[in-house]
Amino acid sequence: MQDVQKGEELYRGKAKTVFYTNDADKLILEFRNDTSAFDGEKIEQLDRKGEVNNKFNHFIMQQLEDAGVKTQVEALISDNESIVKKLDMIPIECVVRNYAAGSLCRRLGVEEGLELSPQTFEFFLKNDALHDPMVNETHAIAFGWATQDQIDQMKVLTFKVNSILAPLFRKGGMLLVDFKLEFGVDKNGDIVLGDEFTPDGCRLWDAETKKKLDKDRFRQGLGSVVESYIEVAERIGLSL
Ligand code: TMP
Ligand code: ASP
């Protein structure tokens, strides 16, 4: 693991850059300070965010691995870089919601904070130019983004992640309002959790005051973005 060398850039996303390594099965994920919202319309650099998200992601993925969810993450190699398994990413985002917020409220006119029973599940196509439209599983199969079996597995795994992480955040006095996951296929053809789990891709509220502690602070211009991410980390036992 120690002698994995960083190679050429493979892909530069809005907040992370992916690099090849000297091992064909491994990539390096670099978490940058760039913070984007509204499909890249709003972008700012926030001090320490790359480091905080890299370490946060590693910590959460470790919890998920321990609970039996296969993830892409292999090791932290610096403050803002991790080694990950190479996956063929499926271009679909899986969202589970425990409480109403964000686009659910905008689309359906429901009140923010409403507890959802059952918890809801949605797929979105990962495409900024089209503003990540909501799609269903027949679209995914018809357009070849995923097979029925992969879809079934992604759905089961996303709910499993919810059942692991909602109690983890609840113990830290927070509500996991909603979150987004992305999956990929590894060299054995297995579905593996990829991308990241950080406060950039989920909503977390203080359970008592309902104070927002996630990227909505950035989207809504509430300030103290990275400070809030650090507070979330500390509340779940990760000191940064
Ligand atoms: P939404 O309310 O905007 O649909 O988002 C639901 C959750 O998924 C929220 O925690 C943010 C996250 N998300 C992303 O991180 N990136 C995305 O592109 C989308 C559509 C959602
Ligand atoms: N991640 C997307 C973007 O950067 C959507 C969002 O988080 O608002 O634009």
Side-chain angles (χ1 to χ4, degrees):
M1 189 80 70
Q2 268 65 28
D3 43 31
V4 172
Q5 304 291 324
K6 195 168 181 176
E8 296 283 298
E9 183 177 310
L10 166 64
Y11 175 78
R12 186 180 166 91
K14 292 191 295 284
K16 299 190 292 298
T17 311
V18 187
F19 294 89
Y20 288 108
T21 70
N22 53 328
D23 180 335
D25 297 327
K26 299 198 193 330
L27 300 171
I28 289 176
L29 269 192
E30 179 191 310
F31 289 74
R32 308 194 313 272
N33 287 343
D34 294 330
T35 311
S36 100
F38 313 120
D39 306 316
E41 270 173 39
K42 174 173 175 172
I43 298 181
E44 283 174 28
Q45 279 74 44
L46 300 180
D47 244 18
R48 283 198 75 198
K49 196 184 70 101
E51 177 198 344
V52 168
N53 274 6
N54 184 40
K55 293 176 180 173
F56 193 105
N57 183 56
H58 182 261
F59 179 84
I60 293 288
M61 293 292 179
Q62 197 63 60
Q63 306 284 321
L64 295 175
E65 286 276 355
D66 292 348
V69 176
K70 276 207 233 172
T71 82
Q72 183 181 28
V73 175
E74 299 234 321
L76 275 180
I77 50 164
S78 73
D79 278 352
N80 60 354
E81 295 165 307
S82 291
I83 295 179
V84 300
K85 284 186 210 64
K86 189 171 192 301
L87 302 179
D88 280 331
M89 295 303 292
I90 294 174
I92 285 180
E93 304 183 329
C94 300
V95 172
V96 160
R97 300 177 196 265
N98 296 307
Y99 297 88
S103 74
L104 187 71
C105 297
R106 283 198 302 279
R107 279 182 277 123
L108 304 182
V110 295
E111 196 185 331
E112 185 179 75
L114 186 73
E115 189 169 359
L116 300 170
S117 179
Q119 294 133 348
T120 64
F121 182 92
E122 295 152 339
F123 288 116
F124 295 90
L125 176 64
K126 199 172 159 65
N127 186 321
D128 280 342
L130 298 177
H131 304 294
D132 292 349
M134 188 157 77
V135 294
N136 67 34
E137 58 184 71
T138 64
H139 297 127
I141 297 163
F143 298 116
W145 302 322
T147 64
Q148 181 72 60
D149 181 50
Q150 290 171 337
I151 284 166
D152 294 345
Q153 287 190 55
M154 291 195 293
K155 204 165 163 182
V156 167
L157 285 166
T158 306
F159 278 113
K160 180 167 181 177
V161 166
N162 191 45
S163 72
I164 299 162
L165 296 184
L168 178 90
F169 289 113
R170 194 66 190 81
K171 278 195 210 111
M174 292 170 284
L175 302 178
L176 178 58
V177 172
D178 57 32
F179 61 94
K180 179 266 301 179
L181 299 181
E182 294 178 34
F183 294 89
V185 181
D186 71 8
K187 62 177 176 181
N188 305 314
D190 294 335
I191 290 281
V192 175
L193 177 59
D195 191 52
E196 66 180 285
F197 191 105
T198 67
D200 269 4
C202 68
R203 290 192 172 91
L204 291 160
W205 295 347
D206 180 274
E208 300 307 319
T209 65
K210 306 293 188 295
K211 181 182 172 191
K212 294 175 179 174
L213 299 167
D214 54 77
K215 198 163 86 171
D216 271 348
R217 300 201 67 80
F218 176 73
R219 294 190 189 96
Q220 300 174 9
L222 301 174
S224 304
V225 179
V226 179
E227 291 81 350
S228 296
Y229 290 19
I230 293 171
E231 179 184 332
V232 171
E234 281 169 356
R235 287 197 195 190
I236 57 172
L238 168 65
S239 78
L240 289 167

